[in-house]
Amino acid sequence: MGFKVGLLGLGTVGTGVGKILQSPEGRHPLLQAVELARVGVRSLDKPRDLELPSHTLTTDLAAIVSDPDVDIVIEVIGGLEPARTLILDAIAHGKHVVTANKAVIARFGDEIFTAANQAGVYVMLEAAVAGGIPVIQPLKESLGANRIHAMMGILNGTTNYILTKMQSGGDFDDILAEAQALGYAEADPTADVDGFDAGDKIAILTSLAFGGRVKLDQVHREGIRQVSAADIAYAQKLGFVIKLLAIAKLPPNNNNNQVEVRVHPTLVPEEHPLASVNDAFNAILIEADPLGQVMFFGPGAGAGPTASAVVSDTINIVALLKTGLTAANPDSETIHPLLACSHNSYFDVAPMADLVTRFYARIRTQDHPGVIGRLGTCFGDHEVSLESLVQTDVNDNLAEIAVVTHLVREGDFRQALNEIKSLEAVDSIPSVLRVL
Amino acid sequence: MGFKVGLLGLGTVGTGVGKILQSPEGRHPLLQAVELARVGVRSLDKPRDLELPSHTLTTDLAAIVSDPDVDIVIEVIGGLEPARTLILDAIAHGKHVVTANKAVIARFGDEIFTAANQAGVYVMLEAAVAGGIPVIQPLKESLGANRIHAMMGILNGTTNYILTKMQSGGDFDDILAEAQALGYAEADPTADVDGFDAGDKIAILTSLAFGGRVKLDQVHREGIRQVSAADIAYAQKLGFVIKLLAIAKLPPNNNNNQVEVRVHPTLVPEEHPLASVNDAFNAILIEADPLGQVMFFGPGAGAGPTASAVVSDTINIVALLKTGLTAANPDSETIHPLLACSHNSYFDVAPMADLVTRFYARIRTQDHPGVIGRLGTCFGDHEVSLESLVQTDVNDNLAEIAVVTHLVREGDFRQALNEIKSLEAVDSIPSVLRVL
């Protein structure tokens, strides 16, 4: 019994998928039951890194998702449209779908999974988060005994590469330009550098870990443009490295169906497992009861790792088809309950003012005695207690004071900062970052 | 529809399992369909940390595995017998089995999985390797697109704790005694310290990663008793930490259906992801094509993590039972092909003499000029080239030379060492370790 795949997109990931499907030897034996039947591309004439029979290629992607012979549609064209429409059309035609498209799933997951459940088909998305690192499947199948409290990850390779390089010295703009020259960052780096990509991914992980969706515009998102060489240096002095973390947490004593979901540069203690995740690598750390902490680490992007996840998802669908769990029988009991999306409620995202976290702030002050006392008083008035403090002279008149607080309510800390900003002895507050 | 669990064993892991089953809120909804129906213990009178209806407890474990009402048997009594017999009896009675028993699976996996396949039942073993870290399920379901080349792990928490403590100074014997006092090491530490536990685990992982079994007595096994404070110090000086690694690899250009499987203390480069896995934590690193390197990190033992894996396996079986893949229909097509054990051939284990690796050796010599030259000649005669060398004076007459080689065939290196041992200027070779 063979299963026919329709592949939408033949860029680097699509080519990687094709190469795996064409060389099943040494991989899972089920791959031998998979046939790359149709491949949808934008132009038939482009030179390809993959040999395909000419009748396989087509520019009519809509014909692939409605082809009665196709069992599984793999979507690796990326972007919002026509990807969303093609996925929905594939589902409407009873196809199972494998996608690497975090943007579509983060925005239209509700619509897509509702349609999939109605049609009795699977939509698999391991490749959409953290590339080749298995994290979706483990969340669905390996951690079910647990109450998950928190999840935090380095989910964007480009920003992690930039921050890692900045640790050896250098400013954001220069290293971004270098990363662009090397092809590690795109010409328009906004999606990576401003945290949109990580935001999409943590929204997806939130729904898997906590069983409820979040609206993407409620995800608090700060990018890494604000991180300066000076901050990196202070962080090092204080025993931290700066990482762009995507964090989702159930707030403690939460009675309001709220979840914290946020992406921001974060000071991570040097001895923390995420601190040593460098360059373009990704990692996801999960805190659960009774499991404790587990971390998944690996390549978060790239043709090979992404294709690995896409094809492994395909094998999982084939395994289920082999056992008779087919779209022909769209009775909910025949859909594997761990692989289908079973939730359809939305979490409220907790307001950032209510977040309880540690903070780092760099404060420029006039260089005379008593300034630290006045800062301390302001902080104390707002329940902010300090864990450490480093002072450096900038020039004859200005000093810079870097502080790390104990846990504090974000709203209280911001009020203290506002008061500090208005002190006569204070010149400016060039940066404020959260601390893990 | 409810599913009844028979739990064999109510030690720390069994109690952990019971606690999860009794408090399903906040965990996977499928847990609400699971009932802890019977619990087998050695003595009914022992005080328990778990409240159970009195009719649930029994000392008749054989009655549980043959109970027609029981759907899933969870075996957490450990040891070889009666665990093996109970598992086989459960299978014979059409029960699905979840076990945390690495010793039984490593020795009797062949017998157990053959019986399970014939009976059309699942035997799940996530908890048998690396406690709560999901590694069995990802190997079965998330990496199928790949050709796995190599797998290496820190699979024993006790030895990793001891080696981590030794890095801050201290000899093996003292730190072992301390670990025993703290309950981190057993009174008879042989299973941990001499590598038996890690050997069982890597044998199991080998069959999952490479699709063929290995005979346990063919796993090359060296423990950590031979690792001295001096070796730890030299390793640090040379940029390494010493870890007890369990390694399985397909040898390059392998035409003989061979696999490398070995457990031994290993010098790991400081910047390697496994180098920062400290204390009682476990980690498994997998190298695969086209994925690259992924690593799974977390708690490798303990009641909570182990129970997490056991109950998650149980949920996976329940999910399959819900979809109608039951033992009542033992047609192979109704057994999920990724979750059943599909291989039954055996690998030959490659002889250690053919291993190509780097080595570290510590050599005591008379402290006079020309000794290094003579060592270098011996090494060169056997194709051993040196990567680094550190010399220290021991006393007025003796010097100690620590060398790290480039890649070399183990057989050649051993011959060189034999020759070196017989040199007049050489006093002894206190230690020889492999280098990652």
Side-chain angles (χ1 to χ4, degrees):
Chain A
M1 190 160 64
F3 299 94
K4 289 197 164 58
V5 163
L7 176 63
L8 308 180
L10 202 53
T12 55
V13 174
T15 303
V17 169
K19 284 185 179 170
I20 298 175
L21 295 180
Q22 288 186 348
S23 63
E25 321 78 49
R27 314 186 198 275
H28 196 283
L30 278 180
L31 258 188
Q32 281 153 15
V34 177
E35 182 196 339
L36 182 55
R38 306 197 66 179
V39 179
V41 295
R42 205 174 301 173
S43 152
L44 294 177
D45 306 327
K46 212 172 145 185
R48 306 279 172 196
D49 201 12
L50 191 73
E51 278 192 46
L52 288 166
S54 61
H55 66 270
T56 307
L57 276 183
T58 175
T59 57
D60 186 358
L61 278 64
I64 294 180
V65 302
S66 62
D67 184 334
D69 286 342
V70 167
D71 302 291
I72 300 167
V73 168
I74 295 177
E75 184 274 306
V76 288
I77 50 179
L80 294 182
E81 284 294 356
R84 169 183 155 277
T85 301
L86 288 165
I87 289 171
L88 288 167
D89 285 354
I91 292 167
H93 285 90
K95 316 299 180 203
H96 305 282
V97 174
V98 177
T99 178
N101 196 324
K102 71 219 103 202
V104 160
I105 296 295
R107 280 162 194 77
F108 305 109
D110 195 343
E111 184 181 19
I112 288 169
F113 287 106
T114 301
N117 287 342
Q118 281 169 2
V121 298
Y122 298 99
V123 175
M124 306 285 275
L125 60 145
E126 184 66 78
V129 180
I133 309 172
V135 58
I136 304 285
Q137 190 91 8
L139 274 173
K140 285 179 174 175
E141 298 199 56
S142 303
L143 303 176
N146 291 275
R147 295 187 183 118
I148 298 180
H149 300 305
M151 199 165 43
M152 55 196 82
I154 294 170
L155 299 180
N156 181 272
T158 304
T159 47
N160 204 46
Y161 174 86
I162 293 172
L163 290 172
T164 303
K165 289 285 163 198
M166 285 177 75
Q167 273 174 253
S168 320
D171 266 312
F172 172 78
D173 290 327
D174 300 336
I175 291 170
L176 172 60
E178 189 189 305
Q180 286 170 319
L182 288 167
Y184 289 176
E186 303 198 34
D188 175 1
T190 304
D192 294 320
V193 161
D194 295 319
F196 290 96
D197 174 79
D200 288 357
K201 291 167 176 169
I202 195 70
I204 294 171
L205 290 182
T206 298
S207 67
L208 283 156
F210 301 117
R213 298 201 174 96
V214 292
K215 296 217 157 60
L216 203 51
D217 58 11
Q218 295 187 347
V219 176
H220 178 84
R221 193 179 36 69
E222 296 169 34
I224 65 165
R225 291 185 203 266
Q226 57 173 310
V227 178
S228 68
D231 295 321
I232 303 260
Y234 276 113
Q236 271 170 352
K237 210 176 284 184
L238 292 159
F240 297 93
V241 293
I242 299 182
K243 297 288 182 189
L244 183 68
L245 293 194
I247 300 173
K249 267 189 190 179
L250 293 185
N253 308 319
N254 179 18
N255 299 315
N256 305 318
N257 193 36
Q258 283 189 336
V259 68
E260 289 173 14
V261 194
R262 46 198 168 95
V263 174
H264 51 67
T266 312
L267 274 73
V268 178
E270 268 166 7
E271 65 281 5
H272 191 278
L274 290 170
S276 50
V277 175
N278 286 325
D279 303 319
F281 283 98
N282 281 18
I284 299 106
L285 187 137
I286 295 170
E287 289 177 7
D289 172 51
L291 174 51
Q293 282 192 337
V294 286
M295 189 173 84
F296 304 88
F297 164 90
T306 308
S308 156
V310 164
V311 177
S312 297
D313 271 354
T314 306
I315 294 173
N316 272 275
I317 292 177
V318 167
L320 291 167
L321 296 180
K322 280 235 164 201
T323 59
L325 304 180
T326 70
N329 186 359
D331 167 5
S332 71
E333 286 290 319
T334 70
I335 291 296
H336 192 297
L338 299 182
L339 297 186
C341 172
S342 56
H343 52 264
N344 40 34
S345 63
Y346 278 83
F347 280 115
D348 285 331
V349 173
M352 288 300 283
D354 286 347
L355 179 67
V356 175
T357 183
R358 295 194 289 167
F359 277 95
Y360 153 91
R362 181 157 57 94
I363 304 168
R364 292 201 154 193
T365 69
Q366 279 155 37
D367 192 6
H368 54 65
V371 172
I372 289 182
R374 259 164 282 162
L375 297 186
T377 306
C378 273
F379 279 132
D381 287 349
H382 294 278
E383 311 291 327
V384 180
S385 91
L386 297 184
E387 184 181 293
S388 53
L389 184 151
V390 183
Q391 179 168 1
T392 336
D393 287 340
V394 177
N395 56 35
D396 283 354
N397 303 317
L398 280 182
E400 206 162 60
I401 298 171
V403 298
V404 171
T405 72
H406 285 292
L407 284 177
V408 56
R409 200 180 146 273
E410 174 148 354
D412 293 340
F413 182 72
R414 298 281 175 193
Q415 283 199 338
L417 280 190
N418 275 340
E419 231 167 78
I420 285 169
K421 226 180 271 175
S422 68
L423 290 177
E424 207 189 331
V426 169
D427 177 76
S428 62
I429 304 181
S431 50
V432 178
L433 297 169
R434 293 174 195 83
V435 179
L436 194 62
Chain B
M1 188 160 67
F3 299 94
K4 290 197 164 60
V5 163
L7 176 63
L8 307 180
L10 201 53
T12 54
V13 173
T15 304
V17 169
K19 283 185 180 169
I20 299 174
L21 294 180
Q22 287 185 347
S23 64
E25 321 78 48
R27 314 186 198 275
H28 196 285
L30 278 180
L31 257 188
Q32 281 154 14
V34 177
E35 181 197 340
L36 182 55
R38 305 198 66 181
V39 179
V41 295
R42 205 175 301 173
S43 151
L44 293 177
D45 305 327
K46 212 173 145 184
R48 307 279 173 196
D49 201 12
L50 191 73
E51 278 192 46
L52 288 167
S54 60
H55 66 270
T56 308
L57 277 182
T58 175
T59 56
D60 186 357
L61 277 63
I64 294 180
V65 301
S66 63
D67 184 335
D69 285 343
V70 166
D71 302 292
I72 300 167
V73 168
I74 295 177
E75 183 275 304
V76 288
I77 50 179
L80 295 182
E81 285 292 357
R84 170 184 155 276
T85 301
L86 288 165
I87 289 171
L88 288 168
D89 284 354
I91 292 168
H93 284 91
K95 316 299 181 205
H96 305 282
V97 174
V98 177
T99 178
N101 197 323
K102 72 220 103 202
V104 160
I105 296 294
R107 279 161 194 77
F108 305 108
D110 195 342
E111 184 181 19
I112 287 169
F113 287 106
T114 302
N117 287 343
Q118 281 170 2
V121 299
Y122 298 98
V123 175
M124 306 285 274
L125 60 145
E126 185 65 80
V129 180
I133 309 172
V135 58
I136 304 285
Q137 189 92 7
L139 274 173
K140 285 179 174 175
E141 298 199 56
S142 303
L143 303 176
N146 291 275
R147 295 187 183 118
I148 298 179
H149 300 305
M151 199 165 43
M152 55 197 81
I154 294 170
L155 299 180
N156 180 273
T158 304
T159 47
N160 203 47
Y161 174 86
I162 293 172
L163 290 172
T164 303
K165 290 283 163 200
M166 285 177 76
Q167 273 174 253
S168 320
D171 267 311
F172 172 78
D173 290 326
D174 300 336
I175 291 169
L176 172 60
E178 189 189 306
Q180 286 170 318
L182 289 166
Y184 288 177
E186 303 197 32
D188 176 1
T190 304
D192 294 319
V193 161
D194 295 319
F196 290 95
D197 174 78
D200 287 357
K201 291 167 176 170
I202 195 69
I204 293 171
L205 290 181
T206 299
S207 68
L208 283 156
F210 302 118
R213 298 202 174 97
V214 293
K215 296 219 157 59
L216 203 52
D217 58 10
Q218 295 187 347
V219 176
H220 178 83
R221 194 179 36 69
E222 297 169 35
I224 65 165
R225 291 186 203 266
Q226 57 173 310
V227 178
S228 68
D231 296 319
I232 302 261
Y234 276 113
Q236 271 171 351
K237 210 176 283 183
L238 292 158
F240 298 93
V241 293
I242 299 182
K243 296 289 183 189
L244 183 69
L245 293 194
I247 300 174
K249 267 189 190 178
L250 293 185
N253 308 318
N254 178 19
N255 299 316
N256 305 318
N257 193 36
Q258 283 189 335
V259 68
E260 288 173 14
V261 194
R262 46 199 167 94
V263 174
H264 51 69
T266 312
L267 275 73
V268 178
E270 268 165 8
E271 65 281 7
H272 191 279
L274 289 171
S276 50
V277 175
N278 287 326
D279 303 319
F281 283 99
N282 281 19
I284 299 106
L285 187 136
I286 295 170
E287 289 177 8
D289 172 52
L291 174 52
Q293 283 192 336
V294 286
M295 189 174 85
F296 304 88
F297 164 91
T306 308
S308 156
V310 164
V311 177
S312 297
D313 271 354
T314 306
I315 294 173
N316 272 274
I317 293 177
V318 167
L320 292 167
L321 296 180
K322 279 235 165 203
T323 59
L325 304 180
T326 68
N329 184 359
D331 167 4
S332 71
E333 287 289 320
T334 68
I335 290 297
H336 192 297
L338 299 182
L339 297 186
C341 173
S342 56
H343 52 266
N344 40 35
S345 64
Y346 278 84
F347 280 115
D348 284 331
V349 173
M352 289 300 283
D354 287 347
L355 179 66
V356 174
T357 184
R358 296 194 288 167
F359 276 95
Y360 153 91
R362 181 156 57 94
I363 304 168
R364 292 201 155 194
T365 70
Q366 280 154 35
D367 192 6
H368 56 65
V371 172
I372 288 181
R374 259 165 282 162
L375 296 187
T377 306
C378 273
F379 280 132
D381 287 349
H382 293 278
E383 311 289 328
V384 181
S385 91
L386 298 184
E387 184 181 293
S388 53
L389 183 152
V390 183
Q391 178 168 3
T392 337
D393 287 339
V394 177
N395 57 36
D396 282 354
N397 304 315
L398 281 180
E400 206 161 59
I401 298 171
V403 298
V404 171
T405 73
H406 284 291
L407 285 177
V408 55
R409 199 181 146 273
E410 174 148 354
D412 294 340
F413 182 72
R414 299 281 174 192
Q415 283 199 337
L417 280 190
N418 275 339
E419 232 166 76
I420 285 169
K421 227 180 268 174
S422 69
L423 290 177
E424 207 190 332
V426 169
D427 176 75
S428 62
I429 304 182
S431 50
V432 178
L433 297 169
R434 292 175 196 82
V435 178
L436 194 61

